[in-house]
Amino acid sequence: MRSERNSPSCGAGRESDPGDLRIRANNRFYDARGVQVVLGSKASTFGVEHALEAGARYHWDQEDRFQHEDGYTMTGGQMVLSDPGAPGNQSNRVSDASAWAFYLEDRIDFGRLTLTPGLRFETMDFTRTDYATDDPSRESPMRVRENGVSVFLPGIGASLQASDDVRVFAGIHRGFGPPGPGADTETEAESSFNYEVGAALEGGSSQGQLVYFYNDYENVLGAATLSSGSAGSGDLFNGGAARIWGIEASASRDLARGGWGVRIPLRLAYTYTSAVFLTSFQSDFDEWGEVEEGDRLPYLAPHQAFGSLSVVGRWWLVHLAATYNDEMRTVAGRGPIPEDEGTNAFFVLNIGAEAKVAEIGTVFAGIQNLTDERYMVARRPAGARPGLPRQVEVGIRIRH
């Protein structure tokens, strides 16, 4: 369900013009079916261990949209139905997709070194059938759009056990995003080459990982959905080339010493992301608009961090968690973020506790957004979207 106010007179406690408050019934039906076969075999040649795996899958799915929108009038603080919508008057279409996928992978062990090359092939066909919004019986389609795509997706990963506690790894893989049902003939599939290299500490009570990633995109896809602030047509837009790179770091450790009778796990994580367009273009997709080479992608926070500290007993636990998100753009651009084209940075604390109750289950309590931080998470759809205010939860989970 989606609501939309068409007039400032729709404010709480005010009267409105007839039908100013629109409520959409997002009637959608999904159906997905498929079959998959996987075969595996192990072999050893010249002291090298191989673990071969091959698979095939057929998948079919369908989305049926039959949505209507009603108009309400605000009278004395109450919603009164004044303009009932006919079935299908908002969206009336069926989208189908069928796909064949085949893959072959070999895990090759050379002692401490493991290589995992693989190849995947996919072929997909899409159909979207649009009916008039005044044709609930779907007697005659207004338009039928068909498209398809086939792609080879190679990749290889490597992992080296440098010592008992340290592992280093790297990988190169091709990524792919299909245009989907209803895409125009000029809409191209999204493709990318994705690289990563990192190291992991995997010993004792401490773990850690550091990863550098680099993603090289062509024909980035954007979708005109309600959540993106568009009318919900589902149309797809290409956004040219883009480069995304960054660093991910995580660490965890149990701070408890032997004999304390509890565990005190500490977890920390941080991600830095740089994402820019490499081409200039003009797009009807609101989040992009007029893009110049070097503009930053919207809705990607450069800095994100998380931390948690818990005390875990035999039958109880208490935990504190903190999340930080940097400010981010909501429209592509560069330089300082205009006030109406971005979100603010925020820092949110959550606290909770739980305890087992005999064999019955677990009682729990928690407070999300402990300090009642006021922050914005998006500017679509329909303007600024706030984050969760302080929320208190108390409950019991019963086990039977």
Side-chain angles (χ1 to χ4, degrees):
M1 179 178 289
R2 177 179 184 258
S3 64
E4 181 177 291
R5 291 174 175 171
N6 294 331
S7 167
S9 64
C10 289
R14 300 178 182 176
E15 306 298 305
S16 78
D17 293 331
D20 265 0
L21 181 63
R22 312 296 299 180
I23 303 293
R24 181 176 303 178
N26 279 333
N27 297 332
R28 285 174 283 185
F29 176 78
Y30 295 93
D31 190 6
R33 308 174 190 180
V35 60
Q36 178 172 300
V37 177
V38 177
L39 300 174
S41 177
K42 292 185 177 181
S44 178
T45 57
F46 303 105
V48 177
E49 302 293 329
H50 294 264
L52 283 165
E53 186 173 285
R57 182 181 69 178
Y58 174 76
H59 181 86
W60 173 88
D61 59 34
Q62 182 183 81
E63 177 201 49
D64 187 333
R65 288 177 177 251
F66 194 58
Q67 303 167 326
H68 69 272
E69 195 168 85
D70 298 320
Y72 288 80
T73 303
M74 294 300 296
T75 303
Q78 300 294 319
M79 292 170 48
V80 179
L81 180 64
S82 57
D83 182 17
N89 77 336
Q90 180 58 43
S91 182
N92 188 4
R93 69 173 189 255
V94 179
S95 300
D96 297 274
S98 61
W100 281 97
F102 306 90
Y103 78 92
L104 178 64
E105 178 184 278
D106 186 13
R107 179 187 171 98
I108 310 170
D109 288 318
F110 301 89
R112 289 180 174 268
L113 174 65
T114 300
L115 298 178
T116 310
L119 179 64
R120 184 180 184 89
F121 171 76
E122 293 198 28
T123 181
M124 289 161 266
D125 293 300
F126 308 102
T127 303
R128 176 167 140 178
T129 306
D130 293 287
Y131 300 90
T133 53
D134 59 356
D135 182 17
S137 61
R138 295 178 169 174
E139 294 181 354
S140 56
M142 288 175 51
R143 178 174 60 175
V144 178
R145 285 188 277 181
E146 296 181 333
N147 59 312
V149 64
S150 298
V151 62
F152 283 97
L153 302 172
I156 185 169
S159 176
L160 174 65
Q161 197 69 41
S163 69
D164 291 342
D165 298 334
V166 178
R167 179 174 61 90
V168 294
F169 55 88
I172 305 174
H173 298 86
R174 187 181 178 194
F176 171 74
D184 294 328
T185 54
E186 63 268 19
T187 302
E188 299 182 42
E190 178 182 281
S191 64
S192 65
F193 277 98
N194 309 303
Y195 310 84
E196 69 171 4
V197 59
L201 174 66
E202 303 170 328
S205 61
S206 300
Q207 290 82 38
Q209 183 167 282
L210 181 65
V211 180
Y212 169 82
F213 61 89
Y214 182 97
N215 305 318
D216 191 6
Y217 283 89
E218 295 287 341
N219 306 316
V220 175
L221 283 174
T225 62
L226 289 175
S227 61
S228 69
S230 301
S233 66
D235 291 338
L236 294 163
F237 300 89
N238 281 128
R243 178 191 64 223
I244 300 175
W245 69 271
I247 296 173
E248 293 181 345
S250 62
S252 63
R253 181 177 175 82
D254 188 349
L255 303 181
R257 299 178 181 274
W260 284 15
V262 297
R263 294 185 296 110
I264 308 178
L266 171 67
R267 297 181 177 89
L268 301 170
Y270 167 78
T271 301
Y272 170 76
T273 307
S274 172
V276 298
F277 285 106
L278 301 181
T279 51
S280 301
F281 60 92
Q282 176 69 43
S283 174
D284 292 330
F285 187 45
D286 290 342
E287 292 181 17
W288 295 342
E290 186 174 347
V291 174
E292 295 183 1
E293 181 182 353
D295 283 354
R296 294 190 174 275
L297 273 69
Y299 287 103
L300 278 174
H303 302 279
Q304 299 178 74
F306 171 82
S308 68
L309 180 65
S310 305
V311 181
V312 184
R314 185 174 180 181
W315 51 269
W316 57 272
L317 69 84
V318 178
H319 64 88
L320 176 69
T323 301
Y324 171 80
N325 258 49
D326 197 8
E327 64 180 7
M328 63 182 178
R329 292 184 170 277
T330 56
V331 179
R334 67 180 71 191
I337 303 176
E339 185 176 351
D340 60 346
E341 294 184 0
T343 66
N344 55 310
F346 63 84
F347 179 80
V348 175
L349 285 172
N350 300 327
I351 189 170
E354 63 179 66
K356 293 181 180 179
V357 181
E359 299 300 324
I360 299 175
T362 303
V363 295
F364 63 90
I367 303 175
Q368 298 187 59
N369 195 357
L370 180 65
T371 61
D372 201 21
E373 174 86 0
R374 296 185 179 184
Y375 60 99
M376 188 192 313
V377 296
R379 287 191 176 272
R380 291 179 179 81
R385 314 297 290 182
L388 180 73
R390 182 188 291 127
Q391 177 173 293
V392 179
E393 297 176 319
V394 179
I396 182 170
R397 289 189 289 267
I398 299 176
R399 184 183 299 108
H400 61 84

